Amino acid sequence: MNSPLILINVFTVAPENQQRLVELLTKATDESVKFIEGFISSTLHKSIDGAKVTMYAQWRSREDYENMRKNTGASPYLEEALQFAKFDMGMYEIVKVFNKE
């Protein structure tokens, strides 16, 4: 079995807009993204200083992720987020998982 595609998306935002971005990304995932073919999971994080929001997401494949980006139901959320946040996306593959034994 192939490893999933891992996305680590870091948004930089003014602290007064951090909660707005968290709510927007939550809405995007709950209403659209999680229903798209190939979505596995995502975890949303916010920085203690209020300046960043990070989403760790797993997709079955790069193709599935690319299809999500083309999905008209998902794209308006990212467009809205980019009006008040800077977006830095990274695609990764899992090399090793460490667990407490």
Side-chain angles (χ1 to χ4, degrees), residues 15-101:
E16 63 270 16
N17 286 324
Q18 185 187 53
Q19 188 58 38
R20 176 182 172 199
L21 183 57
V22 166
E23 291 169 6
L24 179 63
L25 294 174
T26 298
K27 183 176 181 180
T29 304
D30 281 342
E31 294 181 3
S32 177
V33 176
K34 72 180 184 180
F35 299 107
I36 296 173
E37 181 77 24
F39 175 81
I40 298 172
S41 69
S42 64
T43 306
L44 190 57
H45 309 264
K46 66 180 185 177
S47 65
I48 302 299
D49 65 3
K52 294 195 184 320
V53 174
T54 301
M55 184 170 270
Y56 172 94
Q58 294 186 33
W59 286 85
R60 183 177 53 200
S61 68
R62 185 174 183 161
E63 292 76 24
D64 289 323
Y65 171 74
E66 296 294 339
N67 287 335
M68 182 278 298
R69 290 296 303 263
K70 296 174 191 170
N71 185 298
T72 57
S75 57
Y77 297 104
L78 181 58
E79 291 170 15
E80 183 177 343
L82 292 176
Q83 293 176 14
F84 62 95
K86 181 183 163 207
F87 173 59
D88 184 23
M89 183 191 80
M91 288 186 185
Y92 301 85
E93 57 186 32
I94 296 172
V95 175
K96 175 90 175 130
V97 176
F98 300 92
N99 293 304
K100 184 175 179 176
E101 295 178 16

